[in-house]
Amino acid sequence: MSIIEKAANKLGHDGAVSQPQDAAEKTAAGNHASRIEAAMQREHVQAASATTPASTDSDMGASVTSMQVEIDLKRLARMGGVTPDAERSQVAEEFRLIKRPLLANAFGQGGAAVRNGNLIMVTSALPGEGKSFCSLNLAISIATEMERTVLLVDADVARPRLPEYLGIRAGKGLLDVLQDPSLELSEVMLRTNIPKLSLLTAGHPYKHGTELLASSAMSRLVADLANRYPDRVIIFDSPPLLSTSEASVLATHMGQIVMVVEAEKTSQEAVKEALSQLESCEVIGMVLNKSTAILGNDNYYGYYGTYGK
């Protein structure tokens, strides 16, 4: 059975994705995501994440600066996000459940490791389903692991959202590294006050962004990211699959994909069409987001697990 058929079997029959009645693993941000994303959009981006130089080297007048960003963790918590010091919050527990199978696949915990399993793409069929919220919180959750480090990459090059969410002044990033062979990744990577979390923004807009993501330069960069540090997980916040062509290209490099689906809104046809673009990846998880149904005593969205071809 294909991944599309398996995923389709999990969907409701009224044309929209419905709340699972008996999910194998219940996780997630329930109806947190809808109100959190709205709060993120309302709140003015301030100097909550001030960007400061961490170190500077000069050679014949040229300077290379490693940047440090300060994420305002209190502000992030007010918006409902995961923070390292809120160990027992509901959203922290929900993302703990989401990350467990991803980490098991990435590092062979309890079985064989998935090829490139530490490269994880978070995407959705359509805009507004909460993928950037999930990318950010998944990355922070994994950064709290004792033996893991995380690089969060804003690969939504057409509509980058992570700088807005974190209050970061985005400068050079992914597209700039791909265009300029002389630009080192270390020059544009942002360190944060969450010790094991680093950021790579989308960079300056480029009209041939899709071609850059499909280039040999991207293949080399992804291979370097995947293999340079054995404990590192790289989370890619991807564009929606049905809005741009970049996401399906990016998926060819991934070991695992998390597809965020908005409950009671996204149609089955949209989900099926989006999944049809992911045949290059053998491990796909689906997260039902923004659910208002009550399972037990809490609000959840369902994590369907991973499906191979």
Side-chain angles (χ1 to χ4, degrees), residues 12 44 47 73 110 116 123 128 136 167 185 188 201 214 249 289:
H44 179 64
L73 299 179
N116 291 334
T123 189
L136 174 59
L185 187 64
V188 299
T201 63
V249 172
N289 195 26

Side-chain angles (χ1 to χ4, degrees), residues 43-165:
E43 184 154 346
H44 179 64
V45 175
Q46 304 173 353
S49 304
T51 306
T52 57
S55 62
T56 303
D57 299 315
S58 60
D59 181 16
M60 298 180 64
S63 63
V64 177
T65 303
S66 175
M67 303 303 292
Q68 171 88 25
V69 294
E70 292 292 323
I71 299 172
D72 188 332
L73 299 179
K74 292 182 179 179
R75 173 180 179 264
L76 187 60
R78 288 196 304 270
M79 293 188 294
V82 173
T83 57
D85 56 347
E87 296 182 356
R88 291 300 171 188
S89 70
Q90 181 177 339
V91 68
E93 291 296 330
E94 290 163 347
F95 277 95
R96 280 192 180 101
L97 291 172
I98 292 177
K99 72 180 176 181
R100 287 296 165 222
L102 297 172
L103 292 175
N105 288 333
F107 300 104
Q109 299 166 353
V114 172
R115 181 176 177 272
N116 291 334
N118 63 333
L119 301 176
I120 302 172
M121 181 176 107
V122 181
T123 189
S124 60
L126 303 168
E129 298 192 69
K131 66 173 183 62
S132 293
F133 166 79
C134 291
S135 299
L136 174 59
N137 286 289
L138 179 60
I140 295 175
S141 182
I142 293 175
T144 63
E145 292 286 306
M146 300 300 294
E147 300 175 346
R148 306 294 171 215
T149 61
V150 183
L151 174 63
L152 176 58
V153 181
D154 194 344
D156 194 346
V157 296
R159 192 186 176 210
R161 301 297 302 279
L162 293 176
E164 175 188 347
Y165 285 176

Side-chain angles (χ1 to χ4, degrees), residues 241-255:
L241 284 157
L242 302 185
S243 296
T244 69
S245 56
E246 286 95 341
S248 58
V249 172
L250 187 62
T252 63
H253 301 289
M254 298 296 110

